[in-house]
Amino acid sequence: MSFSISDRCVNCYACLDLCPSNAISQGVSQFHIDSLRCTECAGHFADPQCASICPVEGALLDGEGQALHPPGSLTGIPPTLRVVAMEGQPAASLLP
Ligand code: SF4
Ligand code: SF4
């Protein structure tokens, strides 16, 4: 199985030099993982290095296309409140 990078990648370069398999490269619009090279870091590290450093929720996907950092997992902001914040509404209106 191989990880992949979604269009949420912000091209921050943080993961590029950490991959033990040299599977990560800069693509046209976002970084890219070569599925033939990615080993999910097996045999090198206990945790996948790209996911360990990526600061963006939803940028890295596992072999089944699921986000390694789902919405709210890094920021601590529940997805419903983030939408409200992006729309400029007071988040307090959603709190119990
Ligand atoms: S999971 Fe490991 S081998 Fe795969 S792209 Fe990320 S750093 Fe490289
Ligand atoms: S660390 Fe995440 S956001 Fe940064 S280049 Fe890699 S995949 Fe993209």
Side-chain angles (χ1 to χ4, degrees):
M1 296 294 271
S2 166
F3 287 3
S4 61
I5 296 175
S6 79
D7 61 4
R8 300 203 65 174
C9 168
V10 296
N11 299 297
C12 73
Y13 285 80
C15 61
L16 184 62
D17 292 332
L18 295 186
C19 178
S21 304
N22 291 320
I24 302 174
S25 60
Q26 188 175 20
V28 175
S29 57
Q30 76 246 1
F31 276 65
H32 171 75
I33 292 176
D34 183 338
S35 62
L36 297 179
R37 286 179 172 265
C38 175
T39 61
E40 298 190 4
C41 288
H44 293 281
F45 298 99
D47 300 313
Q49 296 299 283
C50 53
S52 295
I53 199 163
C54 182
V56 181
E57 295 171 348
L60 276 159
L61 309 177
D62 67 15
E64 297 179 341
Q66 299 300 310
L68 291 157
H69 299 306
S73 63
L74 297 178
T75 62
I77 302 171
T80 49
L81 291 182
R82 184 169 55 190
V83 169
V84 170
M86 294 293 284
E87 292 174 349
Q89 299 174 26
S93 64
L94 284 187
L95 294 176

Coordinates of all heavy atoms in Angstrom, one line a residue:
M1 N 0.8 -1.2 0.0 CA 0.0 0.0 0.0 C 0.9 1.2 0.0 O 2.0 1.2 0.5 CB -0.9 0.0 1.2 CG -1.9 -1.1 1.3 SD -3.1 -1.0 0.0 CE -4.4 -0.1 0.8
S2 N 0.3 2.3 -0.5 CA 1.1 3.6 -0.6 C 0.2 4.7 -0.1 O -1.0 4.7 -0.2 CB 1.4 3.8 -2.0 OG 1.9 5.1 -2.2
F3 N 0.9 5.7 0.5 CA 0.2 6.9 0.9 C 0.1 7.8 -0.4 O 0.7 7.5 -1.4 CB 1.0 7.7 1.9 CG 0.9 7.0 3.3 CD1 0.2 5.8 3.5 CD2 1.5 7.6 4.4 CE1 0.1 5.3 4.8 CE2 1.4 7.1 5.6 CZ 0.7 5.9 5.8
S4 N -0.7 8.8 -0.3 CA -0.8 9.8 -1.4 C -1.1 11.2 -0.8 O -1.3 11.3 0.4 CB -2.0 9.4 -2.4 OG -3.2 9.4 -1.7
I5 N -0.9 12.1 -1.7 CA -1.1 13.5 -1.3 C -2.2 14.2 -2.0 O -2.3 14.0 -3.3 CB 0.2 14.3 -1.5 CG1 1.3 13.7 -0.6 CG2 0.1 15.8 -1.2 CD1 2.7 14.3 -0.8
S6 N -3.1 14.8 -1.3 CA -4.3 15.4 -1.9 C -4.0 16.9 -2.3 O -3.0 17.4 -2.1 CB -5.5 15.4 -0.9 OG -5.3 16.4 0.0
D7 N -5.1 17.5 -2.9 CA -4.9 18.9 -3.4 C -5.0 19.9 -2.2 O -4.9 21.1 -2.4 CB -6.0 19.2 -4.4 CG -7.4 19.1 -3.9 OD1 -7.6 18.8 -2.7 OD2 -8.4 19.3 -4.7
R8 N -5.0 19.3 -1.0 CA -5.0 20.2 0.2 C -3.5 20.6 0.6 O -3.3 21.4 1.4 CB -5.7 19.6 1.4 CG -7.2 19.3 1.1 CD -8.0 19.3 2.3 NE -8.0 20.5 3.0 CZ -8.7 20.8 4.1 NH1 -9.5 19.9 4.6 NH2 -8.6 22.0 4.7
C9 N -2.6 19.9 -0.1 CA -1.2 20.1 0.2 C -0.9 21.6 -0.2 O -1.3 22.1 -1.2 CB -0.3 19.2 -0.7 SG 1.4 19.6 -0.8
V10 N -0.1 22.2 0.7 CA 0.2 23.6 0.5 C 1.7 23.8 0.0 O 2.2 24.9 0.1 CB 0.0 24.5 1.8 CG1 -1.5 24.5 2.1 CG2 0.8 24.0 3.0
N11 N 2.3 22.7 -0.4 CA 3.7 22.8 -0.9 C 4.7 23.4 0.0 O 5.5 24.3 -0.3 CB 3.7 23.6 -2.3 CG 2.8 22.9 -3.3 OD1 3.1 21.8 -3.7 ND2 1.8 23.6 -3.7
C12 N 4.6 23.0 1.3 CA 5.5 23.6 2.3 C 6.9 22.9 2.3 O 7.7 23.4 3.1 CB 4.8 23.5 3.7 SG 4.9 21.8 4.4
Y13 N 7.1 21.8 1.6 CA 8.4 21.1 1.5 C 8.7 20.4 2.8 O 9.8 19.7 2.8 CB 9.5 22.1 1.2 CG 9.6 22.6 -0.2 CD1 8.7 23.6 -0.6 CD2 10.5 22.0 -1.1 CE1 8.8 24.1 -1.9 CE2 10.5 22.5 -2.4 CZ 9.7 23.5 -2.8 OH 9.7 23.9 -4.1
A14 N 7.9 20.4 3.8 CA 8.3 19.8 5.1 C 8.6 18.3 5.0 O 9.5 17.7 5.6 CB 7.3 20.1 6.2
C15 N 7.8 17.6 4.2 CA 7.9 16.1 4.1 C 9.0 15.7 3.1 O 9.5 14.5 3.2 CB 6.6 15.6 3.6 SG 6.0 16.1 2.0
L16 N 9.5 16.6 2.2 CA 10.3 16.2 1.1 C 11.5 15.4 1.5 O 11.8 14.3 0.9 CB 10.7 17.4 0.3 CG 11.5 17.1 -1.0 CD1 10.7 16.3 -2.0 CD2 11.9 18.4 -1.6
D17 N 12.3 15.9 2.4 CA 13.6 15.3 2.8 C 13.5 14.2 3.8 O 14.5 13.6 4.2 CB 14.6 16.3 3.2 CG 15.0 17.3 2.1 OD1 14.9 16.8 0.9 OD2 15.3 18.4 2.3
L18 N 12.3 14.0 4.4 CA 12.1 13.0 5.4 C 11.8 11.6 4.9 O 12.0 10.6 5.7 CB 11.0 13.4 6.4 CG 11.2 14.7 7.2 CD1 10.1 14.9 8.1 CD2 12.5 14.7 7.9
C19 N 11.4 11.4 3.7 CA 11.0 10.1 3.2 C 12.3 9.2 3.0 O 13.2 9.5 2.2 CB 10.3 10.3 1.9 SG 9.8 8.7 1.2
P20 N 12.3 8.1 3.7 CA 13.4 7.2 3.5 C 13.5 6.5 2.2 O 14.5 5.8 1.8 CB 13.2 6.2 4.7 CG 11.7 6.1 4.8 CD 11.3 7.5 4.6
S21 N 12.4 6.5 1.4 CA 12.4 5.9 0.1 C 12.4 6.8 -1.0 O 12.3 6.4 -2.2 CB 11.0 5.1 0.0 OG 10.9 4.2 1.1
N22 N 12.7 8.1 -0.7 CA 12.7 9.1 -1.8 C 11.5 9.0 -2.7 O 11.6 9.1 -3.9 CB 14.0 9.0 -2.7 CG 15.2 9.3 -1.9 OD1 15.2 10.3 -1.1 ND2 16.3 8.5 -2.1
A23 N 10.3 8.8 -2.1 CA 9.1 8.6 -2.8 C 8.4 10.0 -3.1 O 7.4 10.0 -3.8 CB 8.2 7.7 -2.1
I24 N 8.8 11.0 -2.4 CA 8.1 12.3 -2.5 C 8.8 13.2 -3.4 O 10.0 13.4 -3.4 CB 8.0 12.9 -1.1 CG1 7.2 12.0 -0.1 CG2 7.2 14.3 -1.1 CD1 7.2 12.4 1.3
S25 N 8.0 13.9 -4.2 CA 8.6 14.9 -5.2 C 7.6 16.0 -5.3 O 6.4 15.9 -5.0 CB 8.9 14.2 -6.5 OG 7.7 13.7 -7.1
Q26 N 8.1 17.1 -5.9 CA 7.2 18.3 -6.1 C 6.5 18.0 -7.4 O 7.1 17.8 -8.5 CB 8.0 19.5 -6.2 CG 7.2 20.8 -6.3 CD 8.0 22.1 -6.2 OE1 9.2 22.0 -6.5 NE2 7.4 23.2 -5.9
G27 N 5.1 18.1 -7.4 CA 4.3 17.9 -8.6 C 4.0 19.3 -9.2 O 4.6 20.3 -8.9
V28 N 3.0 19.2 -10.1 CA 2.7 20.4 -10.9 C 2.0 21.4 -9.9 O 2.3 22.6 -9.9 CB 1.7 20.1 -12.0 CG1 1.2 21.3 -12.7 CG2 2.5 19.2 -13.0
S29 N 1.0 20.9 -9.2 CA 0.2 21.8 -8.3 C 0.4 21.5 -6.8 O 0.1 22.3 -5.9 CB -1.2 21.8 -8.6 OG -1.8 20.5 -8.6
Q30 N 0.9 20.3 -6.5 CA 1.1 19.9 -5.1 C 2.2 18.8 -5.1 O 2.5 18.2 -6.2 CB -0.1 19.5 -4.4 CG -0.6 18.1 -4.8 CD -1.9 18.1 -5.5 OE1 -2.5 19.1 -5.8 NE2 -2.4 16.9 -5.9
F31 N 2.6 18.5 -3.9 CA 3.6 17.4 -3.8 C 3.0 16.1 -4.2 O 1.7 15.9 -4.1 CB 4.2 17.4 -2.4 CG 5.4 18.4 -2.3 CD1 5.2 19.7 -2.4 CD2 6.7 17.9 -2.1 CE1 6.2 20.6 -2.3 CE2 7.7 18.8 -2.0 CZ 7.5 20.2 -2.2
H32 N 3.8 15.1 -4.5 CA 3.3 13.8 -5.0 C 4.1 12.7 -4.4 O 5.3 12.8 -4.1 CB 3.6 13.8 -6.5 CG 3.3 12.5 -7.2 ND1 2.1 12.0 -7.4 CD2 4.2 11.6 -7.6 CE1 2.2 10.8 -8.0 NE2 3.4 10.5 -8.1
I33 N 3.4 11.5 -4.1 CA 4.1 10.3 -3.6 C 4.1 9.3 -4.7 O 3.0 9.0 -5.3 CB 3.4 9.8 -2.4 CG1 3.6 10.8 -1.2 CG2 3.9 8.4 -2.0 CD1 2.8 10.4 0.0
D34 N 5.3 8.8 -5.0 CA 5.4 7.7 -6.0 C 4.9 6.4 -5.3 O 5.6 5.9 -4.4 CB 6.9 7.6 -6.4 CG 7.1 6.5 -7.5 OD1 6.3 5.6 -7.6 OD2 8.1 6.6 -8.2
S35 N 3.8 5.9 -5.8 CA 3.2 4.7 -5.2 C 4.1 3.4 -5.3 O 4.0 2.5 -4.5 CB 1.9 4.4 -5.8 OG 2.0 4.1 -7.2
L36 N 5.0 3.4 -6.2 CA 5.9 2.3 -6.4 C 7.1 2.3 -5.4 O 7.7 1.3 -5.1 CB 6.4 2.2 -7.8 CG 5.4 2.0 -8.9 CD1 6.0 2.0 -10.3 CD2 4.6 0.7 -8.7
R37 N 7.3 3.5 -4.9 CA 8.4 3.7 -3.9 C 8.0 3.7 -2.5 O 8.7 3.3 -1.6 CB 9.2 5.0 -4.2 CG 10.1 4.9 -5.4 CD 10.7 6.3 -5.6 NE 11.7 6.3 -6.7 CZ 13.0 6.1 -6.5 NH1 13.5 5.9 -5.3 NH2 13.9 6.0 -7.5
C38 N 6.8 4.2 -2.2 CA 6.3 4.4 -0.8 C 6.1 3.0 -0.2 O 5.4 2.2 -0.7 CB 5.0 5.2 -0.8 SG 4.3 5.3 0.9
T39 N 6.7 2.9 1.0 CA 6.6 1.6 1.8 C 5.9 1.8 3.1 O 5.8 1.0 3.9 CB 8.0 1.1 2.1 OG1 8.7 2.1 2.9 CG2 8.9 0.8 0.9
E40 N 5.3 3.0 3.2 CA 4.6 3.5 4.4 C 5.6 3.5 5.6 O 5.3 3.3 6.7 CB 3.4 2.6 4.8 CG 2.3 2.7 3.7 CD 1.0 2.1 4.1 OE1 0.9 1.6 5.2 OE2 0.1 2.1 3.2
C41 N 6.9 3.6 5.2 CA 8.0 3.7 6.1 C 8.3 2.3 6.9 O 9.1 2.3 7.8 CB 7.9 4.8 7.1 SG 8.1 6.4 6.4
A42 N 7.7 1.3 6.4 CA 7.9 0.0 7.0 C 9.4 -0.4 7.0 O 10.1 -0.3 5.9 CB 7.1 -1.1 6.3
G43 N 10.0 -0.8 8.1 CA 11.4 -1.2 8.2 C 12.3 0.0 8.4 O 13.5 -0.2 8.7
H44 N 11.8 1.2 8.4 CA 12.6 2.4 8.7 C 12.2 3.1 9.9 O 13.0 3.4 10.8 CB 12.5 3.3 7.5 CG 13.1 2.8 6.2 ND1 14.5 2.8 6.0 CD2 12.6 2.3 5.1 CE1 14.7 2.3 4.8 NE2 13.6 1.9 4.2
F45 N 10.9 3.3 10.0 CA 10.4 4.1 11.2 C 9.1 3.5 11.7 O 8.3 2.9 10.9 CB 10.1 5.6 10.8 CG 11.4 6.3 10.3 CD1 11.7 6.5 9.0 CD2 12.2 6.8 11.3 CE1 12.8 7.1 8.6 CE2 13.4 7.5 10.9 CZ 13.7 7.6 9.5
A46 N 8.8 3.7 12.9 CA 7.5 3.2 13.5 C 6.3 4.0 13.0 O 5.2 3.4 12.8 CB 7.6 3.2 15.0
D47 N 6.6 5.3 12.7 CA 5.5 6.1 12.2 C 5.9 6.7 10.8 O 7.0 7.0 10.5 CB 5.3 7.3 13.1 CG 4.9 6.9 14.5 OD1 4.0 6.0 14.6 OD2 5.5 7.4 15.5
P48 N 4.9 6.8 9.9 CA 5.2 7.4 8.6 C 5.7 8.8 8.8 O 5.0 9.7 9.3 CB 3.9 7.3 7.9 CG 2.8 7.1 8.9 CD 3.5 6.5 10.1
Q49 N 6.9 9.0 8.2 CA 7.5 10.3 8.4 C 6.8 11.5 7.8 O 6.8 12.6 8.3 CB 9.0 10.2 7.9 CG 9.8 9.2 8.7 CD 9.9 9.6 10.1 OE1 10.7 10.5 10.5 NE2 9.2 8.9 11.0
C50 N 6.2 11.3 6.6 CA 5.5 12.4 6.0 C 4.3 12.8 6.8 O 4.1 14.0 7.0 CB 5.1 12.0 4.6 SG 4.1 10.5 4.4
A51 N 3.6 11.9 7.3 CA 2.4 12.2 8.1 C 2.8 12.8 9.5 O 2.1 13.6 10.0 CB 1.6 10.9 8.4
S52 N 4.0 12.4 10.0 CA 4.4 12.9 11.3 C 4.7 14.4 11.2 O 4.5 15.1 12.2 CB 5.7 12.2 11.7 OG 5.4 10.8 12.0
I53 N 5.1 14.9 10.0 CA 5.5 16.3 10.0 C 4.5 17.2 9.3 O 4.5 18.4 9.4 CB 6.9 16.5 9.3 CG1 7.5 17.8 9.7 CG2 6.8 16.3 7.8 CD1 8.9 18.0 9.5
C54 N 3.6 16.6 8.5 CA 2.7 17.4 7.7 C 1.8 18.2 8.6 O 1.1 17.7 9.4 CB 1.8 16.5 6.7 SG 0.7 17.5 5.7
P55 N 1.7 19.6 8.4 CA 0.9 20.4 9.2 C -0.5 20.7 8.7 O -1.2 21.5 9.3 CB 1.7 21.7 9.2 CG 2.3 21.8 7.8 CD 2.5 20.3 7.4
V56 N -0.9 20.0 7.6 CA -2.2 20.3 7.0 C -3.1 19.1 7.1 O -2.8 18.0 6.7 CB -2.0 20.6 5.5 CG1 -3.3 21.0 4.8 CG2 -1.0 21.8 5.4
E57 N -4.3 19.4 7.6 CA -5.3 18.4 7.7 C -5.8 18.0 6.3 O -6.1 18.8 5.5 CB -6.5 18.9 8.6 CG -6.1 19.1 10.0 CD -7.2 19.8 10.8 OE1 -8.2 20.3 10.2 OE2 -7.1 19.9 12.0
G58 N -5.9 16.7 6.1 CA -6.4 16.2 4.8 C -5.4 16.2 3.7 O -5.8 15.7 2.6
A59 N -4.2 16.6 3.9 CA -3.2 16.6 2.8 C -2.7 15.2 2.5 O -2.4 14.9 1.4 CB -2.1 17.5 3.1
L60 N -2.5 14.4 3.5 CA -1.9 13.1 3.3 C -3.0 12.0 3.5 O -3.8 12.1 4.5 CB -0.8 12.8 4.3 CG 0.6 13.4 3.9 CD1 1.5 13.6 5.0 CD2 1.2 12.4 2.8
L61 N -3.1 11.1 2.6 CA -4.1 10.1 2.6 C -3.4 8.7 2.7 O -2.4 8.5 2.1 CB -4.9 10.1 1.3 CG -5.5 11.5 0.9 CD1 -6.2 11.4 -0.5 CD2 -6.4 12.0 2.0
D62 N -4.1 7.8 3.4 CA -3.6 6.4 3.5 C -3.9 5.6 2.2 O -4.5 6.2 1.3 CB -4.1 5.7 4.8 CG -5.6 5.5 4.8 OD1 -6.2 5.5 3.7 OD2 -6.1 5.2 5.9
G63 N -3.6 4.4 2.3 CA -3.8 3.5 1.1 C -5.2 3.3 0.7 O -5.5 2.9 -0.4
E64 N -6.1 3.7 1.6 CA -7.6 3.6 1.3 C -8.2 4.9 1.0 O -9.4 5.1 0.9 CB -8.3 2.9 2.4 CG -7.8 1.4 2.6 CD -8.5 0.7 3.8 OE1 -9.1 1.4 4.6 OE2 -8.4 -0.5 3.8
G65 N -7.3 6.0 0.9 CA -7.8 7.3 0.6 C -8.4 8.0 1.8 O -9.0 9.1 1.6
Q66 N -8.1 7.5 3.0 CA -8.6 8.2 4.2 C -7.5 9.2 4.7 O -6.3 8.9 4.7 CB -8.9 7.2 5.3 CG -10.0 6.2 4.9 CD -11.3 6.9 4.6 OE1 -11.8 7.7 5.4 NE2 -11.9 6.6 3.4
A67 N -8.0 10.4 5.1 CA -7.0 11.4 5.6 C -6.3 10.9 6.9 O -7.0 10.4 7.8 CB -7.8 12.7 5.9
L68 N -5.0 11.0 6.9 CA -4.2 10.6 8.1 C -4.4 11.7 9.2 O -4.3 11.4 10.3 CB -2.7 10.5 7.7 CG -2.5 9.3 6.8 CD1 -1.2 9.4 6.0 CD2 -2.5 8.0 7.7
H69 N -4.7 12.9 8.8 CA -5.0 14.0 9.7 C -6.4 14.5 9.3 O -6.5 15.5 8.6 CB -4.0 15.1 9.7 CG -2.6 14.7 10.0 ND1 -2.3 14.0 11.2 CD2 -1.4 14.8 9.3 CE1 -1.0 13.8 11.2 NE2 -0.4 14.3 10.1
P70 N -7.5 13.9 9.8 CA -8.8 14.3 9.5 C -9.1 15.7 10.0 O -8.4 16.2 10.9 CB -9.7 13.3 10.1 CG -8.9 12.3 10.9 CD -7.4 12.7 10.7
P71 N -10.2 16.4 9.5 CA -10.5 17.7 10.0 C -10.6 17.8 11.5 O -11.3 16.9 12.1 CB -11.9 17.9 9.3 CG -11.8 17.1 8.1 CD -11.0 15.9 8.4
G72 N -10.0 18.7 12.1 CA -10.0 18.9 13.5 C -8.9 18.2 14.3 O -8.7 18.5 15.4
S73 N -8.2 17.3 13.6 CA -7.2 16.5 14.4 C -6.0 17.3 14.7 O -5.3 16.9 15.7 CB -6.8 15.2 13.5 OG -6.2 15.6 12.3
L74 N -5.6 18.2 13.9 CA -4.4 19.0 14.2 C -4.8 20.3 14.9 O -4.1 20.8 15.8 CB -3.6 19.3 12.9 CG -3.1 18.0 12.2 CD1 -2.3 18.4 10.9 CD2 -2.1 17.3 13.1
T75 N -5.8 21.0 14.4 CA -6.2 22.3 15.0 C -7.0 22.2 16.3 O -7.0 23.1 17.0 CB -7.0 23.1 14.0 OG1 -8.2 22.3 13.7 CG2 -6.3 23.3 12.6
G76 N -7.7 21.0 16.4 CA -8.6 20.9 17.6 C -9.9 21.6 17.4 O -10.7 21.6 18.2
I77 N -10.1 22.2 16.2 CA -11.3 22.9 15.9 C -12.3 21.9 15.2 O -11.9 21.4 14.1 CB -11.0 24.1 14.9 CG1 -10.1 25.0 15.6 CG2 -12.3 24.8 14.6 CD1 -9.6 26.2 14.7
P78 N -13.4 21.6 15.7 CA -14.4 20.7 15.1 C -14.8 21.3 13.7 O -14.9 22.5 13.5 CB -15.6 20.7 16.0 CG -15.0 21.2 17.3 CD -13.9 22.1 17.0
P79 N -14.9 20.4 12.7 CA -15.2 20.9 11.3 C -16.4 21.8 11.3 O -16.4 22.8 10.5 CB -15.5 19.6 10.6 CG -14.7 18.5 11.3 CD -14.8 19.0 12.8
T80 N -17.5 21.6 12.1 CA -18.6 22.5 12.0 C -18.3 23.9 12.5 O -18.8 24.9 11.9 CB -19.7 22.0 13.0 OG1 -19.2 21.7 14.3 CG2 -20.4 20.7 12.4
L81 N -17.4 24.1 13.5 CA -17.1 25.4 13.9 C -16.1 26.1 12.9 O -16.2 27.3 12.8 CB -16.4 25.3 15.3 CG -17.3 24.9 16.4 CD1 -16.6 24.9 17.8 CD2 -18.5 25.8 16.5
R82 N -15.3 25.3 12.3 CA -14.4 25.9 11.3 C -15.2 26.5 10.1 O -14.9 27.6 9.6 CB -13.4 24.9 10.8 CG -12.4 25.5 9.8 CD -11.3 24.6 9.5 NE -11.7 23.3 8.9 CZ -10.9 22.3 8.7 NH1 -9.7 22.3 9.1 NH2 -11.4 21.2 8.2
V83 N -16.2 25.8 9.7 CA -17.1 26.4 8.6 C -17.7 27.7 9.1 O -17.7 28.7 8.3 CB -18.2 25.4 8.2 CG1 -19.2 26.0 7.3 CG2 -17.6 24.2 7.5
V84 N -18.2 27.8 10.3 CA -18.7 29.0 10.8 C -17.7 30.1 10.8 O -17.9 31.2 10.4 CB -19.3 28.8 12.2 CG1 -19.7 30.1 12.8 CG2 -20.5 27.8 12.1
A85 N -16.5 29.8 11.3 CA -15.4 30.8 11.4 C -15.1 31.3 10.0 O -14.9 32.5 9.8 CB -14.2 30.2 12.0
M86 N -15.0 30.4 9.0 CA -14.7 30.8 7.6 C -15.7 31.7 7.0 O -15.5 32.6 6.2 CB -14.5 29.6 6.7 CG -13.4 28.7 7.1 SD -11.8 29.4 6.9 CE -11.6 29.3 5.1
E87 N -17.0 31.6 7.5 CA -18.1 32.4 7.0 C -18.2 33.7 7.8 O -19.1 34.5 7.5 CB -19.4 31.6 7.0 CG -19.4 30.4 6.0 CD -20.6 29.6 6.2 OE1 -21.4 29.7 7.1 OE2 -20.8 28.7 5.3
G88 N -17.4 33.8 8.8 CA -17.4 35.1 9.5 C -18.5 35.2 10.6 O -18.8 36.2 11.1
Q89 N -19.2 34.0 10.9 CA -20.2 34.0 11.9 C -19.6 33.7 13.2 O -18.6 33.0 13.4 CB -21.3 32.9 11.5 CG -21.9 33.1 10.2 CD -22.9 32.0 9.9 OE1 -23.3 31.3 10.8 NE2 -23.1 31.8 8.6
P90 N -20.2 34.2 14.3 CA -19.7 33.9 15.6 C -19.9 32.4 16.0 O -21.0 31.9 15.9 CB -20.6 34.8 16.5 CG -21.8 35.1 15.8 CD -21.4 35.1 14.3
A91 N -18.8 31.8 16.3 CA -18.8 30.3 16.6 C -19.7 30.1 17.8 O -20.2 29.0 17.9 CB -17.4 29.8 16.8
A92 N -19.8 31.0 18.7 CA -20.5 30.8 19.9 C -22.0 30.5 19.6 O -22.7 29.9 20.4 CB -20.4 32.1 20.8
S93 N -22.5 30.9 18.4 CA -23.9 30.6 18.1 C -24.1 29.1 18.0 O -25.3 28.7 18.0 CB -24.2 31.3 16.8 OG -23.5 30.8 15.7
L94 N -23.1 28.3 17.8 CA -23.3 26.9 17.6 C -23.0 26.1 18.9 O -23.3 24.9 19.0 CB -22.3 26.3 16.6 CG -22.7 26.6 15.1 CD1 -21.7 25.8 14.2 CD2 -24.1 26.2 14.8
L95 N -22.5 26.8 19.9 CA -22.2 26.1 21.1 C -23.4 25.9 22.0 O -24.4 26.7 21.9 CB -21.1 26.9 21.9 CG -19.8 27.1 21.3 CD1 -18.9 28.0 22.1 CD2 -19.1 25.7 21.1
P96 N -23.5 24.8 22.7 CA -24.7 24.5 23.5 C -24.8 25.5 24.6 O -23.9 26.1 25.0 CB -24.4 23.1 24.1 CG -23.0 22.8 23.9 CD -22.4 23.7 22.8
Ligands
SF4_1 S1 4.9 6.9 4.2 FE1 7.1 6.9 4.5 S2 7.8 5.9 2.5 FE2 5.7 6.6 2.2 S3 5.9 8.7 1.3 FE3 5.6 8.9 3.5 S4 7.7 9.1 4.3 FE4 7.8 8.2 2.2
SF4_2 S1 4.2 18.3 4.5 FE1 2.1 18.2 3.8 S2 1.6 20.3 3.1 FE2 3.8 20.1 3.2 S3 4.5 19.5 1.2 FE3 4.3 17.6 2.4 S4 2.1 16.9 2.0 FE4 2.3 19.1 1.3

